[in-house]
Amino acid sequence: MKKSGADLILKDMAKQNTVIVGGSAGAIILGPNIEVVNYFTPQINTVDMQDLTALGLTYKAMFPQYDREDLFQNNSGRSIEDRFKVFENINK
């Protein structure tokens, strides 16, 4: 979004009180950062992106598909809920 300039367009639209809706990754990018993506699916960061800031149009971080254990499996045997609690503690 930053490379294409879409971030600036959305921020400008938000200043004009335009309703902006995002689903899935679109919801995540509206928040302050995309750290939740890197925490649950670090393998998709194939370009080693370090700047995980998002648009900051909302102060709330989103985690879509929270109920999809099949999408966010790991070898620890802990549920998404348990892993999310760890994420929340780490990221305040």
Side-chain angles (χ1 to χ4, degrees):
M1 293 185 83
K2 292 176 182 177
K3 278 186 177 182
S4 70
D7 62 330
L8 300 176
I9 293 168
L10 288 170
K11 287 179 181 181
D12 187 51
M13 291 175 69
K15 288 177 187 173
Q16 298 173 32
N17 292 321
T18 303
V19 175
I20 300 170
V21 178
S24 195
I28 296 171
I29 200 70
L30 296 176
N33 60 62
I34 61 170
E35 291 174 12
V36 70
V37 176
N38 203 50
Y39 182 78
F40 278 91
T41 55
Q43 70 277 9
I44 68 171
N45 187 357
T46 60
V47 295
D48 193 32
M49 183 175 9
Q50 299 297 309
D51 181 3
L52 302 179
T53 57
L55 298 177
L57 299 180
T58 177
Y59 65 92
K60 299 252 185 200
M62 298 293 179
F63 183 41
Q65 290 95 26
Y66 179 82
D67 60 341
R68 296 286 309 272
E69 293 280 349
D70 60 315
L71 293 177
F72 303 106
Q73 296 177 359
N74 74 354
N75 295 329
S76 73
R78 294 181 302 173
S79 69
I80 288 177
E81 178 70 26
D82 290 339
R83 290 181 286 146
F84 198 72
K85 286 177 184 176
V86 173
F87 173 79
E88 286 179 325
N89 285 332
I90 292 169
N91 291 282
K92 308 290 183 236

